[in-house]
Every structure is written in C-alpha cells, then in structure tokens.
C-alpha cells in the first residue's frame, strides 16, 4: 500500500514524548529557513511542497547533508538528472531507506506531497514502524495520522489527510519534529541528528531544552561575561550556566533551544523569538519615558507579560513596575504568535567598569572627551573640572548605552594593612583599621600574584604592614590600592 508514497524505515523501541508548541507559521518558517531545512518558497508560504523538495528537507534535517553531498552527480531514477540540485539528496535518502521510488521505476520529484504522506514521514523519522502496537491497531494512513497527533506534531493543524502539504505547514511540522524525543529515548531529540552533521567537528553534549535567557553579567555582578541565568524546562532558578566559547551568541531576554550539559551550554540550536528593548530615561508615577532604537522619545505604562524577572528571579507585575527607574533597561520577549509577551526583564542602571580619575589615566580622559553624557554627579551635579584625583568614575547607562550620566564615588580608606583574608595564595581581601575589605570584581589581582612563601608577604607594592590608601567602589569593595 505504501509503495507509491515516501516510506521511511528507522528502528526504535518504547514510547516517545513530544514537546508540543503553539502554532506559529511565521516563526517556524523563519527557524527552518535559518537552519536551511526549508527553502524560501517561490510561491509564498502557501505554495505546495513536492517530493523532490521534501527529499532535500528530510536529508538536511536527518543529518544526511554530508552523505548527500558525496552522492551528488549520479542518479538512479530516469526522471532525475545526475547534475540536478536534488540528485544527491534523493540518492542520500533512498540509499538509507528513508524514501523510495514508485512502482513505475520513477521518483516523480514534481509530484505534490499529501498530509497523509507527511504524517507518515514525520512519525517514521522518530523511529516508529508498522509493527509498533500503537500503529498496528489501525490501517494506513489513519494509524500514522493518529500517532502524529498523539506526538503533538499536528496539534491545531486543520488540513485533511488528502490535502496537499504547504510550505508553512511543513515548516511547523519540522519545527515540532526538532523538539521531539526519538522513540525510546529520554535524552536524544530528533534535532541531534541535524547537529551531529552540521557540526561534525564540534562536540555537542547534553540535552535540548527550550529556555529564555533572564540574566547575564549586565544584570548581576555574580555572573561572569560567559555566564547566564536561564528560565525554562526543569531548570533551577539562579543556577549559573557557562556558555562554551564555540556555542554561539546568546542575547538577554531571547528564547532559545539550547543544548545543556549539566551547567554548561554546549550549543545554540535555534533562536525562538525576538525581543523589544526600552531604554528608560525617566519614570513619573506609572508613566515610563524611554527612547526607541532610533533614539526617538516615547512614553508608556509597563506592558503586561506572563512573567517578569528582576535580578534573575521571578517577580510579579507590581514589583516589576516599582523596579523600573531612570536608566533602567526593559526587555520584552515576544510570544511566537506576536499576541503579547512571554517574559519581561527589568535591568537596573548599568554602572559599568569603575575607573580611577588621575591625570595619567589616558583611557578615562579620552572617554570623558568622547562620550555623550547628561551630567556628572558626586553628591550634587559637578563639572568635569571639579573631579579630584582618586575619584572613582562610573559611566552609568542602560545596557545599550542610549542614556548615560557619570556617577562619582569618592570614598577612600587610609591605614596600615594588618592581614590578607581568604586563601594566602588567592586572597579575597585585606584588613585595615580592624575592618575587612573585599577586592572588587575589577580589582587587578595580578598585583598580588608573586607570593614568596611567607604568610601575608607578597613581593609586590602591596604587603602586610604597608600604609596604603584603599579606593572603594559604590559596592564598598576595593577598586585599587595606592
């Protein structure tokens, strides 16, 4: 019965659980085109998919791109030219038994695919066969249609089994297929096959999870530049996740499918949606003034979102409203169907890296000359000529540097160092005047690296019994020592 359709034969066991997703044709089209599984439809998203086009999509999605490339230039079907764009893909999927020709010995690459055929293909790609108990109870194609629905692949898709497959429906089906576990596995998703081929020289470990980036080094001093906080499937709040150097770019507020191994992000799979960013200039009662991407001023009330995050933790809407201040940043994560917002993230004004004002600090002096800022504040508004030596200067702004002012901290501590605190080989701070002070995030610890073996004695210009001046930042931690 299946000789005239595209039959897949993969092996598996046990039951699979699908991660269903809301119907979003535009979002799925964008993702699948990004991954090169779906070509841009010449007749629009409602254009019909042919067997030849689907053979290419299956080969790419199933990790057969490299195999197909090696098989290009030959053909086993009279109706497919050896040098055609699809010859390698057809040879690849036929060679491993994923697709077959028809009884007349042809492939019919221009023949349109029906929904019944596509349901069969999707289910078989996940490892199901005719002999599985759930499929043997009904005849084809109803058995595969029912199983595709149970797996969440066809949720909300109203096309009938005899309807022709459109590009937009194909995109949704592949998108959902990528997020579905292979039959018999609790860790291997179908998308693993794609990435094993796409990144042959890159080790990808862990499992695929759909998550939103809710914190990074700009939202929390506890995070390094390569660390993030995530919210999503089974993740623990405020766990620090480290991004591998070759994993890909990760933006704050964006929803992704990521491969996560323990607390390490090994690969960025798919960017799920977009964000809207608001650089706050001022807040009056519930009215927020902000600048858009073109630096045009607007006002608004804080939009509703399903969840809000502040300092990496979930807060309700009322707390989020109160958290917004001048120079705050608001990031709203769009829902896939553009009907509203999934997440909102409030980020406090970013103080950036502290810099000590001195006549020989050329980098800071150049930044003062070339950076647009609204004013300088040190207890009151001052002019640049009123800055003093050892003032700690912060360029305070939203995270996109649209609105900026300069905050000056002039707190210092003078006295004799009596001890270093923490491990003697990696001190975390020191004691002056019977008070412990901690080294700040930006303190240059290289000045304390040359330890000679005697407790508290460092072969640098910072030693126990030295009379020193500690320059403190806004957090009360040591920025520098003189």
């Amino acid at each position: 019965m299946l000789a005239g359709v595209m039959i897949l034969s993969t092996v598996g066991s046990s039951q699979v659980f699908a991660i269903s997703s809301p119907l979003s044709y535009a979002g799925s089209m964008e993702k699948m085109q990004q991954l090169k599984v779906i070509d841009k439809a010449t007749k629009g998203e409602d254009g019909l998919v042919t067997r030849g086009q689907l053979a290419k999509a299956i080969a790419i999605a199933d990790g057969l791109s490299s195999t197909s490339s090696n098989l290009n230039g030959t053909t086993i079907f009279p109706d497919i030219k050896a040098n055609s764009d699809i010859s390698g893909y057809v040879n690849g999927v036929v060679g491993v038994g994923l697709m077959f020709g028809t009884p007349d010995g042809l492939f019919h690459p221009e023949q349109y695919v029906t929904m019944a055929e596509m349901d069969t293909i999707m289910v078989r790609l996940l490892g199901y066969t005719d002999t599985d108990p759930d499929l043997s109870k009904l005849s084809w194609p109803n058995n595969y249609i029912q199983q595709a629905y149970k797996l969440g692949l066809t949720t909300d898709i109203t096309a009938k089994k005899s309807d022709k497959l459109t590009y937009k429906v194909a995109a949704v089906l592949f998108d959902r297929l990528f997020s579905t576990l292979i039959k018999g596995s609790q860790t291997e998703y179908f998308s693993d096959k794609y990435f094993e081929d796409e990144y042959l020289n890159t080790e990808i470990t862990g499992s695929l999870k759909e998550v939103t980036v809710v914190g990074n080094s700009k939202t929390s001093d506890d995070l390094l530049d390569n660390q993030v906080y995530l919210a999503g499937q089974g993740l623990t709040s405020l766990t620090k996740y480290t991004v591998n150097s070759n994993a890909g770019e990760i933006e704050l507020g964006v929803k992704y499918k990521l491969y996560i191994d323990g607390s390490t992000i090994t690969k960025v799979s798919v960017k799920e949606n977009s964000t809207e960013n608001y650089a706050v200039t001022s807040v009056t009662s519930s009215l927020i003034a902000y600048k858009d991407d073109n630096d045009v001023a607007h006002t608004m009330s804080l939009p509703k979102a399903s969840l809000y995050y502040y300092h990496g933790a979930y807060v309700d809407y009322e707390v989020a409203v109160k958290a917004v201040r001048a120079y705050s940043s608001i990031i709203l994560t769009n829902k896939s169907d553009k009907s509203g917002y999934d997440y909102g993230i409030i980020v406090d004004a970013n103080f950036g890296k502290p810099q000590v004002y001195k006549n020989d600090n050329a980098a800071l002096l150049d930044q003062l000359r070339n950076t647009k800022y609204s004013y300088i504040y040190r207890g009151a508004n001052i002019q640049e000529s009123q800055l003093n030596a050892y003032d700690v200067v912060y360029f305070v702004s939203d995270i996109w540097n649209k609105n900026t002012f300069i905050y000056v901290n002039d707190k210092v501590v003078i006295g004799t160092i009596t001890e270093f605190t923490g491990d003697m080989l990696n001190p975390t701070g020191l004691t002056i005047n019977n008070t412990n002070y901690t080294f700040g995030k930006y303190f240059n610890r290289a000045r304390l690296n040359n330890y000679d073996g005697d407790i508290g004695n460092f072969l640098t210009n910072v030693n126990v019994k030295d009379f020193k001046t500690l320059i403190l930042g806004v957090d009360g931690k040591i920025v520098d020592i003189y």
Side-chain angles (χ1 to χ4, degrees):
M1 183 185 298
L2 300 181
V5 301
M6 291 171 281
I7 304 175
L8 306 159
S9 56
T10 54
V11 179
S13 62
S14 176
Q15 187 176 1
V16 67
F17 298 89
I19 303 170
S20 60
S21 58
L23 189 61
S24 172
Y25 293 123
S28 294
M29 283 287 289
E30 181 180 353
K31 282 182 280 183
M32 291 301 106
Q33 287 176 355
Q34 175 189 341
L35 296 176
K36 301 179 182 179
V37 173
I38 298 289
D39 291 330
K40 186 174 182 180
T42 56
K43 296 183 180 180
E45 64 178 18
D46 290 314
L48 301 179
V49 179
T50 66
R51 282 171 54 89
Q53 292 164 337
L54 191 56
K56 177 180 177 181
I58 291 171
I60 294 172
D62 203 41
L64 296 172
S65 293
S66 301
T67 299
S68 299
S69 178
N70 293 331
L71 295 173
N72 197 39
T74 62
T75 185
I76 56 177
F77 296 105
D79 57 343
I80 294 180
K81 294 180 180 179
N83 60 351
S84 67
D85 293 337
I86 65 168
S87 65
Y89 296 113
V90 172
N91 291 338
V93 296
V94 171
V96 294
L98 292 179
M99 291 182 64
F100 298 93
T102 55
D104 60 6
L106 303 176
F107 189 80
H108 294 288
E110 299 304 320
Q111 180 177 307
Y112 294 124
V113 180
T114 67
M115 281 298 300
E117 294 168 347
M118 187 61 171
D119 286 350
T120 303
I121 290 167
M122 295 290 104
V123 172
R124 287 181 177 266
L125 277 169
L126 291 170
Y128 291 84
T129 65
D130 295 341
T131 59
D132 288 316
D134 287 343
L135 294 173
S136 60
K137 297 175 184 178
L138 299 173
S139 60
W140 185 87
N142 294 332
N143 53 350
Y144 281 91
I145 292 172
Q146 183 184 75
Q147 189 66 15
Y149 182 79
K150 287 174 62 177
L151 293 168
L153 298 172
T154 56
T155 304
D156 297 329
I157 294 176
T158 58
K160 299 176 182 178
K161 60 185 177 183
S162 59
D163 288 348
K164 300 297 188 295
L165 178 69
T166 63
Y167 267 87
K168 66 181 183 183
V169 172
V172 169
L173 290 173
F174 274 113
D175 187 8
R176 292 174 175 177
L177 182 74
F178 266 48
S179 298
T180 304
L181 288 165
I182 296 293
K183 179 190 170 186
S185 175
Q186 296 300 314
T187 58
E188 183 184 4
Y189 288 83
F190 180 82
S191 58
D192 293 341
K193 295 184 177 183
Y194 171 90
F195 287 103
E196 285 170 1
D197 182 75
E198 182 72 5
Y199 303 99
L200 290 176
N201 298 318
T202 302
E203 183 180 0
I204 301 175
T205 59
S207 58
L208 189 67
K209 293 184 180 294
E210 186 173 84
V211 299
T212 298
V213 181
V214 297
N216 63 10
S217 60
K218 291 185 177 181
T219 71
S220 175
D221 287 338
D222 293 332
L223 295 174
L224 302 177
D225 290 339
N226 66 335
Q227 292 180 323
V228 294
Y229 288 137
L230 302 176
Q233 296 173 247
L235 302 184
T236 303
S237 177
L238 297 185
T239 295
K240 298 178 183 179
Y241 292 90
T242 301
V243 185
N244 275 358
S245 59
N246 57 355
E249 295 295 325
I250 295 183
E251 303 172 39
L252 184 64
V254 175
K255 183 184 292 183
Y256 293 94
K257 284 189 175 71
L258 303 175
Y259 282 90
I260 300 176
D261 189 350
S263 61
T264 301
I265 298 169
T266 60
K267 197 65 192 176
V268 177
S269 170
V270 179
K271 181 178 179 179
E272 290 281 290
N273 57 6
S274 59
T275 59
E276 296 177 13
N277 302 322
Y278 301 90
V280 179
T281 54
S282 64
V283 179
T284 305
S285 185
S286 61
L287 195 63
I288 299 170
Y290 69 94
K291 289 184 180 180
D292 64 16
D293 290 338
N294 297 315
D295 266 356
V296 178
H298 302 275
T299 59
M300 68 173 184
S301 296
L302 186 67
K304 294 284 187 179
S306 301
L307 293 172
Y308 264 100
Y309 281 86
Y310 182 55
H311 290 290
Y314 165 71
V315 296
D316 59 28
Y317 178 77
E318 287 70 24
V319 173
V321 170
K322 294 177 181 178
V324 179
R325 297 287 186 271
Y327 300 93
S328 291
S329 305
I330 302 172
I331 302 171
L332 297 174
T333 304
N334 292 305
K335 289 185 176 180
S336 55
D337 60 2
K338 308 297 182 183
S339 63
Y341 305 107
D342 271 330
Y343 294 93
I345 299 175
I346 308 298
V347 184
D348 287 336
N350 179 23
F351 272 67
K353 180 180 179 179
Q355 301 180 72
V356 179
Y357 184 80
K358 295 189 302 177
N359 289 334
D360 61 352
N361 190 340
L364 174 58
L365 297 177
D366 185 66
Q367 190 173 1
L368 286 167
R369 284 192 296 268
N370 296 299
T371 300
K372 180 181 177 181
Y373 56 88
S374 299
Y375 56 90
I376 303 176
Y377 182 82
R378 187 183 60 198
N381 286 355
I382 64 171
Q383 301 298 314
E384 183 180 335
S385 59
Q386 296 174 279
L387 288 170
N388 297 322
Y390 304 129
D391 277 343
V392 179
V393 175
Y394 295 86
F395 286 82
V396 184
S397 71
D398 55 88
I399 61 177
W400 307 286
N401 296 318
K402 289 184 176 298
N403 309 306
T404 302
F405 80 97
I406 293 176
Y407 182 86
V408 181
N409 198 61
D410 58 357
K411 301 296 187 295
V412 299
V413 175
I414 301 174
T416 300
I417 298 174
T418 54
E419 66 175 337
F420 287 90
T421 56
D423 189 297
M424 67 180 69
L425 297 178
N426 185 28
T428 57
L430 52 78
T431 302
I432 281 184
N433 303 333
N434 297 318
T435 303
N436 296 330
Y437 296 92
T438 302
F439 296 126
K441 178 179 179 180
Y442 295 97
F443 178 74
N444 182 11
R445 292 170 182 268
R447 299 179 62 185
L448 307 176
N449 281 347
N450 298 320
Y451 179 69
D452 74 346
D454 294 328
I455 295 177
N457 190 20
F458 292 85
L459 299 177
T460 65
N461 61 340
V462 182
N463 297 286
V464 170
K465 299 181 181 180
D466 282 352
F467 187 81
K468 292 291 184 181
T469 298
L470 306 185
I471 312 299
L472 303 182
V474 293
D475 55 1
K477 296 182 179 180
I478 302 170
V479 172
D480 213 336
I481 303 175
Y482 293 96

